[in-house]
Amino acid sequence: MLSNPSKQSSSSSAAPLRSLSHGGFLAAALVVGALLRFSYPADIEYKRDEQWMFEKTQAVAMGEPWPSVGMPSSQGVANPGLSVWAFLGLQQLSGAETPVELARAVQAVNVLAILLLLFFIAVAVPEKESLGWYWGTALMCVNPLSVLLHRKIWAQSILPLLGTVFIMGWWYRKRHWTGAFVWGFAGVLMGQIHMAGFFLASAALAWTILFDRERKNVSWIAWGAGSLFGALGLIPWVVEVGRHLSQSDPTFHITAWINFKWWNYWMSNSTGVIMEYTLGEHFWSFLEYPLIGQQPTYLVALLHVTLGLCALYIANLAIRHLKDTRGSWVTLFIGRGSQSSSIINSYFWGCGILMTALGVAIKRHYLLVTFPLTYVWFARFLADDSRRGSKVFGVMWSAQLLVTVLFLYYIHVNGGAPNGDYGAAYSAAQSFN
């Protein structure tokens, strides 16, 4: 529910605001989130993409020239250069000589993104809206999908930091160089890391032009300057695309019009019950964990049932709100009059409609570009619930923490998920060499 909370809900949520969103809980969530990202350092994914990225950083460190473009895509055209330049920079800053060390640099970048996000919430988000932001951030710290994607030597895995900078620039879009310029600059950079960033930046721009009441006060000249400056790195890529344009055709998936994957993933990523995405057929054995001897305890299965019930409770909140607004779906999802509503709606509706209309085959990890708003959107339902919101949030946060811990343990003791998307963990692959 993205409309401004009512006066009643704002006052009634004051107690959980004092207890859960203040220093102690947030500090604990941040520490736990960092530990999860840094744990079992050798159990990272290490498939074709990760191998290519690591080997390229080492080749450049040994004297090979910096590449002008990134890794070849599945359609044969290389990705923009920034997708690999960022890792070359991380390698030089960290001195990484092994995949584990390079992955640690990525994990550190994502912890930095969380720290920057918390700072932004503290100084910029109004107190009556901040509870949902804080709870969303805390949930993201322990969410199993978030932890999985924040541990990879993968271009998409460095999007959270840029995504936070993008939101901060947009938030202060009336300012010239500390707001609008940063907004334009970060948006173009996100697209060079992953093409979903171009869609998201375009959606936020269109939403601002169409629906922002303060659009006349936006520093558009500074936004344009930031966008042009950020686009300089695209020049080698544009040349490369021009060379291969006749060899590859854009792919249009008409099924995107009916599968609504953007909204499916938006709503489900935060639930914590979607790790079949990476485990594949191993997911069913994961539900049996932890094992005592060889005896399954099915604790993971019980935690999934718990998270499913929490998700149903949130769905019930949405239905109740729908009744309160006399059946208006627009009121349920689109609220006006707040910064939070505008930026979330531009992501939820704007980017979703744009990618769906153009027939993009959306993958679950594409929503890394929305960091952290999928979690904020999810948590705001509970933050606005004065009856059981804080209790349900506490149960959900704890259950997701346990699922994540057990997921990392499962990967550790089984050497990855060889028959799933995760593949053999780097540690397991090394043991066979």
Side-chain angles (χ1 to χ4, degrees):
M1 99 183 45
L2 302 183
S3 57
N4 286 333
S6 64
K7 293 181 180 179
Q8 181 179 356
S9 61
S10 295
S11 60
S12 60
S13 64
L17 180 63
R18 286 193 297 269
S19 61
L20 285 181
S21 69
H22 279 180
F25 173 74
L26 288 174
L30 175 63
V31 170
V32 169
L35 289 173
L36 292 172
R37 283 155 179 79
F38 287 126
S39 63
Y40 295 125
D43 292 338
I44 55 173
E45 292 182 55
Y46 198 62
K47 304 189 294 294
R48 183 184 69 90
D49 289 1
E50 293 86 355
Q51 291 174 12
W52 187 96
M53 193 68 74
F54 171 72
E55 290 170 1
K56 181 61 67 174
T57 66
Q58 298 307 295
V60 172
M62 295 295 292
E64 181 181 293
W66 277 48
S68 59
V69 294
M71 182 171 52
S73 68
S74 58
Q75 296 184 20
V77 179
N79 290 295
L82 186 63
S83 61
V84 66
W85 300 339
F87 282 87
L88 297 177
L90 283 177
Q91 190 280 326
Q92 294 198 4
L93 286 172
S94 65
E97 297 180 349
T98 67
V100 173
E101 292 172 347
L102 188 58
R104 278 216 179 277
V106 176
Q107 295 152 16
V109 166
N110 283 296
V111 172
L112 176 61
I114 299 171
L115 275 169
L116 183 62
L117 174 62
L118 288 172
F119 171 77
F120 165 73
I121 298 170
V123 301
V125 178
E127 184 174 352
K128 66 179 181 180
E129 299 177 4
S130 64
L131 184 60
W133 284 80
Y134 281 132
W135 283 7
T137 302
L139 190 64
M140 177 268 302
C141 284
V142 300
N143 177 269
L145 181 65
S146 175
V147 171
L148 166 74
L149 296 176
H150 287 188
R151 289 167 52 88
K152 292 165 62 74
I153 308 172
W154 212 27
Q156 296 91 316
S157 293
I158 61 175
L159 281 171
L161 182 60
L162 274 176
T164 303
V165 173
F166 179 81
I167 292 172
M168 293 172 70
W170 178 89
W171 199 274
Y172 293 107
R173 59 198 177 282
K174 296 179 187 178
R175 300 180 182 179
H176 295 286
W177 309 115
T178 57
F181 180 89
V182 174
W183 170 29
F185 181 68
V188 175
L189 294 189
M190 285 198 301
Q192 293 176 63
I193 296 295
H194 190 268
M195 64 94 178
F198 284 130
F199 287 99
L200 185 116
S202 299
L205 173 63
W207 198 271
T208 301
I209 293 173
L210 293 173
F211 302 113
D212 187 3
R213 297 175 181 176
E214 301 294 332
R215 57 186 174 273
K216 293 182 179 179
N217 297 322
V218 174
S219 181
W220 291 113
I221 293 177
W223 174 87
S227 299
L228 288 173
F229 186 63
L232 292 177
L234 279 171
I235 294 175
W237 178 76
V238 171
V239 174
E240 179 74 9
V241 169
R243 292 173 181 168
H244 295 83
L245 195 58
S246 60
Q247 303 175 22
S248 61
D249 297 319
T251 303
F252 178 85
H253 299 267
I254 196 170
T255 55
W257 289 359
I258 57 176
N259 60 29
F260 305 114
K261 281 192 175 180
W262 179 264
W263 297 285
N264 174 14
Y265 295 153
W266 180 287
M267 296 179 188
S268 61
N269 280 4
S270 300
T271 64
V273 296
I274 40 75
M275 296 310 285
E276 187 179 4
Y277 158 79
T278 189
L279 291 173
E281 65 185 53
H282 299 275
F283 177 73
W284 305 107
S285 62
F286 174 54
L287 293 178
E288 299 177 356
Y289 268 61
L291 306 179
I292 299 179
Q294 297 298 318
Q295 184 66 37
T297 65
Y298 294 99
L299 175 59
V300 173
L302 178 60
L303 291 170
H304 277 66
V305 172
T306 301
L307 290 170
L309 292 174
C310 291
L312 288 174
Y313 181 82
I314 294 174
N316 181 59
L317 292 178
I319 294 172
R320 282 170 43 200
H321 183 77
L322 187 62
K323 292 179 179 179
D324 293 341
T325 55
R326 299 178 181 178
S328 172
W329 285 101
V330 173
T331 306
L332 175 61
F333 292 113
I334 299 181
R336 294 185 179 180
S338 76
Q339 296 265 71
S340 298
S341 297
S342 293
I343 190 63
I344 294 175
N345 287 324
S346 72
Y347 282 32
F348 182 89
W349 288 115
C351 193
I353 290 173
L354 184 61
M355 295 186 78
T356 300
L358 294 178
V360 177
I362 301 169
K363 308 296 184 182
R364 191 176 289 278
H365 61 265
Y366 286 12
L367 274 82
L368 268 170
V369 77
T370 67
F371 177 94
L373 295 187
T374 51
Y375 301 97
V376 173
W377 181 90
F378 197 77
R380 284 193 67 181
F381 285 99
L382 295 175
D384 288 350
D385 176 31
S386 59
R387 296 192 303 169
R388 301 186 184 90
S390 60
K391 294 179 181 179
V392 174
F393 171 76
V395 170
M396 176 167 277
W397 188 88
S398 302
Q400 291 203 20
L401 170 59
L402 288 174
V403 168
T404 303
V405 169
L406 291 169
F407 168 75
L408 293 172
Y409 174 73
Y410 179 92
I411 293 297
H412 179 69
V413 298
N414 291 283
N419 296 324
D421 182 74
Y422 198 99
Y426 175 74
S427 57
Q430 290 300 107
S431 66
F432 288 110
N433 293 336

